[in-house]
């Protein structure tokens, strides 16, 4: 993830202008991001296969992306995002359910390698309403649309490019870094090990509300680099968004529900098969996983915004494609630097609390391993993460960010930590 996290919002009504202007058939943008994280020694009387190393450690990731878009026929656009990635997350992206870097994938490599995370078609059907102008930006060709419309997105992209977006907490290249604040922590969304999938989404934008539906491929096995392109294993996602204005300050509230159908092992079955060394991969059968997420963003003043998410899933089976979180609450503030005469800078602070289901607690206490966590034992406590970041704009196309995270009970283990994680982020774009 960016995992969740090299995400780029694809919902077309995020920043429209009520106007009609000249459009262009092409869109070309790019970005490069470098992230370094470091933590000092922390207390850990024991460690398991998926534990974060308690010794002082640092890691870095870097990526370069092109966003290429082209208009086709009326209302249709095609986009591709070739990308080069390199590097690893701390402890090879293990040891925290709410992992510390949205720029760290589950797949790391010392040498740069090429991927194509996004290649999709977008078709917009205008209905009625105000004329809106969408400016040329990453994954958006400059175009005119009506305020009420239906948008179909088809191809390869990230589920959270369209669903569960939040103005203040969703982009690890510009705002918060932790996985469980960038997206709803218990939203186990369909994805390969890089955070992308194949599928389709339909959005119906009408006045003050939007209704979204999606159908996506799960990975072939939980946490796999390959997708089940037969769609025998799939995920359905529904989201309702309402938009409001309170004393001149805009806000959004979203309700999301999901159902995943795939071959997954339940924690209870794994414990019944081997109570001393349970393994969900040995008891996989087709079953369902359900969950929901609530998502709020609210402008308070012209320079201050607040956000909150609450999410839950049934917690009976192993995490399929995201991380081991069965319930999560995150909230925080984001402030532009107007008051200190740095209007392009952003200061953010957040708190997130992640929890496991009772079934999952029993599994990890017995020594079970998951996608990101597994210390070989568990003295359970909710995973609590506080994050503070400052993003400094040095020019229109270059920014430097510093990030700090304080992690209590990493991987839900009161015997380990706390962990202090310090980060540096450099980003260039055009």
């Amino acid at each position: 993830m960016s995992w969740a996290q090299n995400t780029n919002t694809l919902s077309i009504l995020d920043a429209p202008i009520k106007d009609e202007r000249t459009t262009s058939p092409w869109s070309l943008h790019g970005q490069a991001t470098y992230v370094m994280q470091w933590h000092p020694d922390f207390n850990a009387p024991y460690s398991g296969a998926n534990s974060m190393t308690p010794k002082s450690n640092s890691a870095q990731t870097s990526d370069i992306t092109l966003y290429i878009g082209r208009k086709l026929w009326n209302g249709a656009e095609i986009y591709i995002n070739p990308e080069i990635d390199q590097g690893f997350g701390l402890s090879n992206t293990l040891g925290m359910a709410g992992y510390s870097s949205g720029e760290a994938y589950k797949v790391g490599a010392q040498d740069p390698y090429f991927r194509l995370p996004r290649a999709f078609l977008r078709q917009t059907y205008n209905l009625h309403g105000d004329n809106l102008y969408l400016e040329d930006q990453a994954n958006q060709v400059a175009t005119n649309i009506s305020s009420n419309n239906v948008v179909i997105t088809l191809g390869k992209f990230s589920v959270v490019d369209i669903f569960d977006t939040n103005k203040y907490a969703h982009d690890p290249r510009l705002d918060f870094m932790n996985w469980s604040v960038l997206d709803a922590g218990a939203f186990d969304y369909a994805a390969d090990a890089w955070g992308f999938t194949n599928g389709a989404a339909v959005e119906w934008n009408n006045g003050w509300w939007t209704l979204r539906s999606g159908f996506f491929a799960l990975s072939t096995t939980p946490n796999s680099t390959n997708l089940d392109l037969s769609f025998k294993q799939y995920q359905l996602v529904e989201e309702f968004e309402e938009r409001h204005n309170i004393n001149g300050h805009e806000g959004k509230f979203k309700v999301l529900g999901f159902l995943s159908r795939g071959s997954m092992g339940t924690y209870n079955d794994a414990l019944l098969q081997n109570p001393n060394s349970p393994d969900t991969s040995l008891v996989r059968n087709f079953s369902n996983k359900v969950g929901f997420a609530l998502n709020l963003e609210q402008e308070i003043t012209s320079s201050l915004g607040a956000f909150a998410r609450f999410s839950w899933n049934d917690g009976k089976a192993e995490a399929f494609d995201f991380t081991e979180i069965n319930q999560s609450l995150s909230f925080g503030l984001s402030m532009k630097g107007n008051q200190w005469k740095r209007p392009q800078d952003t200061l953010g602070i957040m708190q997130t609390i992640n929890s496991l289901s009772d079934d999952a607690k029993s599994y990890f206490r017995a020594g079970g391993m998951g996608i990101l966590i597994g210390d070989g034992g568990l003295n359970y406590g909710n995973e609590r993460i506080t994050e503070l970041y400052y993003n400094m704009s040095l020019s229109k196309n270059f920014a430097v960010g510093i990030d700090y995270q304080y992690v209590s009970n990493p991987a839900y283990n009161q015997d380990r930590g706390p962990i202090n994680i310090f980060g540096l982020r450099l980003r260039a774009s055009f």
Side-chain angles (χ1 to χ4, degrees), residues 182-198:
L182 292 169
D183 304 296
F187 179 22
D188 190 8
Y189 61 89
D192 60 17
W194 290 276
F196 299 88
T197 187
N198 285 67

Side-chain angles (χ1 to χ4, degrees), residues 1 3-5 97-99 160 164 169 178-189 256 258 289 291-295 308-313 319-330 352-356 372 383 385 412:
M1 267 185 182
W3 225 112
Q5 289 85 119
Y99 191 72
V160 291
D164 192 42
N178 191 274
W179 287 19
S180 55
V181 71
L182 292 169
D183 304 296
F187 179 22
D188 190 8
Y189 61 89
L256 178 150
F258 72 93
K289 172 181 286 189
F292 70 87
L294 309 177
N295 182 341
R309 285 188 179 96
F310 175 77
S311 56
W312 172 93
N313 66 55
F320 209 101
D321 284 331
F322 189 26
T323 186
E324 285 82 16
I325 298 175
N326 302 126
Q327 183 174 299
S328 180
L329 172 66
S330 63
T352 187
I353 304 167
N354 301 321
S355 306
L356 287 177
L372 266 69
E383 186 181 70
I385 303 165
Y412 309 101

Side-chain angles (χ1 to χ4, degrees), residues 14 42 45 68 93 123 127 137 143 163 176 182 211 218 223 230 250 259 278 298 327-328 330-331 344 362 398:
D14 270 8
F42 64 87
I68 305 170
T93 321
Q123 175 71 57
L127 300 178
Q137 58 183 324
T143 191
F163 296 87
F176 295 97
L182 292 169
L211 181 64
L218 293 172
N223 197 35
S230 72
E250 294 183 347
L259 181 149
Q298 180 63 55
Q327 183 174 299
S328 180
S330 63
F331 53 89
Q344 302 304 313
S362 297
F398 189 73

Side-chain angles (χ1 to χ4, degrees), residues 203-214:
E203 302 174 84
W204 180 13
N205 301 294
N206 193 354
W208 58 270
W209 57 266
T210 295
L211 181 64
R212 301 183 178 94
S213 300

Side-chain angles (χ1 to χ4, degrees), residues 6-74:
N6 287 337
T7 59
N8 181 71
T9 301
L10 301 182
S11 189
I12 68 172
L13 292 186
D14 270 8
I17 299 171
K18 290 187 177 181
D19 196 357
E20 187 164 339
R21 304 184 185 183
T22 303
T23 63
S24 170
W26 285 97
S27 175
L28 178 62
H29 294 269
Q31 74 84 38
T33 302
Y34 170 86
V35 170
M36 188 278 290
Q37 288 191 317
W38 169 79
H39 68 76
D41 293 354
F42 64 87
N43 177 65
Y46 57 89
S47 296
N50 286 359
S51 297
M52 183 167 286
T53 176
K55 298 297 183 182
S56 175
N57 187 30
S58 65
Q60 63 81 30
T61 58
S62 57
D63 52 68
I64 301 172
T65 316
L66 285 177
Y67 304 97
I68 305 170
R70 179 70 166 90
K71 285 186 178 179
L72 300 175
W73 53 85
N74 184 32

Side-chain angles (χ1 to χ4, degrees), residues 233-304:
Q233 300 185 103
Y234 60 85
Q235 182 175 83
L236 301 174
V237 187
E238 295 286 334
E239 183 178 63
F240 179 78
E241 170 188 315
E242 70 85 22
R243 295 176 286 276
H244 58 266
N245 190 297
I246 302 175
N247 297 325
H249 299 292
E250 294 183 347
K252 297 179 182 179
F253 179 68
K254 304 177 183 181
V255 180
L256 178 150
F258 72 93
L259 181 149
S260 297
R261 174 70 176 171
S263 180
M264 59 189 92
T266 69
Y267 295 122
N268 282 342
D269 284 349
L271 284 163
L272 286 171
Q273 185 198 62
N274 190 340
N276 297 316
S277 184
D279 185 347
T280 54
S281 70
L282 301 179
V283 292
R284 286 173 179 157
N285 289 294
F286 265 81
S287 58
N288 297 335
K289 172 181 286 189
V290 297
F292 70 87
L294 309 177
N295 182 341
L296 173 68
E297 62 178 70
Q298 180 63 55
E299 184 182 80
I300 299 173
T301 70
S302 59
S303 59
L304 179 65

Side-chain angles (χ1 to χ4, degrees), residues 39-250:
H39 68 76
D41 293 354
F42 64 87
N43 177 65
Y46 57 89
S47 296
N50 286 359
S51 297
M52 183 167 286
T53 176
K55 298 297 183 182
S56 175
N57 187 30
S58 65
Q60 63 81 30
T61 58
S62 57
D63 52 68
I64 301 172
T65 316
L66 285 177
Y67 304 97
I68 305 170
R70 179 70 166 90
K71 285 186 178 179
L72 300 175
W73 53 85
N74 184 32
E77 305 142 13
I78 190 168
Y79 298 92
I80 60 171
N81 294 173
E83 183 169 290
I84 296 174
D85 296 310
Q86 181 272 334
F88 297 88
L90 291 168
S91 296
N92 201 23
T93 321
L94 296 171
M96 294 169 57
Y99 191 72
S100 62
S101 175
E103 279 288 280
Y105 295 106
K106 296 173 182 173
V107 179
Q110 191 63 46
D111 297 322
Y113 62 98
F114 175 83
R115 296 188 310 112
L116 188 65
R118 296 185 185 91
F120 62 92
L121 173 74
R122 178 191 294 141
Q123 175 71 57
T124 302
Y125 296 98
N126 292 317
L127 300 178
H128 54 84
D130 296 329
N131 290 325
L132 301 181
Y133 175 71
L134 302 180
E135 294 183 313
D136 176 32
Q137 58 183 324
N139 286 334
Q140 180 57 67
V141 174
T143 191
N144 294 294
I145 64 169
S146 64
S147 57
N148 298 324
N149 55 66
V150 173
V151 182
I152 300 173
T153 307
L154 177 67
K156 185 180 182 182
F157 51 95
S158 178
V159 174
V160 291
D161 286 344
I162 293 177
F163 296 87
D164 192 42
T165 66
N166 191 293
K167 177 180 179 180
Y168 303 111
H170 198 57
D171 187 348
R173 293 168 175 166
L174 291 174
D175 52 67
F176 295 97
M177 297 288 294
N178 191 274
W179 287 19
S180 55
V181 71
L182 292 169
D183 304 296
F187 179 22
D188 190 8
Y189 61 89
D192 60 17
W194 290 276
F196 299 88
T197 187
N198 285 67
V202 180
E203 302 174 84
W204 180 13
N205 301 294
N206 193 354
W208 58 270
W209 57 266
T210 295
L211 181 64
R212 301 183 178 94
S213 300
F215 178 72
F216 304 101
L218 293 172
S219 54
T220 53
T221 58
N223 197 35
S224 172
T225 58
N226 299 312
L227 295 168
D228 184 355
L229 298 182
S230 72
F231 289 91
K232 292 179 180 179
Q233 300 185 103
Y234 60 85
Q235 182 175 83
L236 301 174
V237 187
E238 295 286 334
E239 183 178 63
F240 179 78
E241 170 188 315
E242 70 85 22
R243 295 176 286 276
H244 58 266
N245 190 297
I246 302 175
N247 297 325
H249 299 292
E250 294 183 347

